[in-house]
Amino acid sequence: QVHLVESGGGLVQPGGSLRLSCAISGPIFSIITMAWYRQAPGKEREPVAAFTSDGSTNYADSVKGRFTISRTNSKNTMYLQMNSLKPEETAVYYCNLRNILRSYWGQGTQVTVSS
């Protein structure tokens, strides 16, 4: 069974930075994508950043130049470095792994951007 556990969320002032981590355990194979999503109160979950199957990265337009997705060579830990955070980016951030069988989600970590 694959498990994903996010950490690193918290309260940060506007313009500040946070680094989220996603620890991945279990049998990992035939990965299609690894990604970060977020869901703000009253809104739908949206993609933030992702690794595609060939290892390239994609970002939502709203975070380009400020967020960076990375992972370890073993692909058992994924990170999201978030800089210049804005209040509207307050949300629960989730990591996701999709392989040929199914999509796996973590429990989420709360990020609150407020002064």
Side-chain angles (χ1 to χ4, degrees), residues 34-88:
M34 297 174 66
W36 286 96
Y37 286 71
R38 65 188 177 192
Q39 187 166 18
K43 295 188 176 181
E44 293 188 355
R45 194 171 298 189
E46 63 177 4
V48 176
F51 284 102
T52 63
S53 57
D54 65 0
S56 60
T57 55
N58 291 325
Y59 295 91
D61 287 344
S62 61
V63 308
K64 285 180 180 177
R66 298 186 298 117
F67 289 15
T68 303
I69 189 172
S70 62
R71 64 187 177 186
T72 56
N73 288 338
S74 60
K75 299 180 183 176
N76 61 5
T77 307
M78 183 170 63
Y79 304 97
L80 184 67
Q81 177 67 42
M82 305 185 294
N83 299 329
S84 302
L85 282 160
K86 305 173 182 180
E88 56 265 37

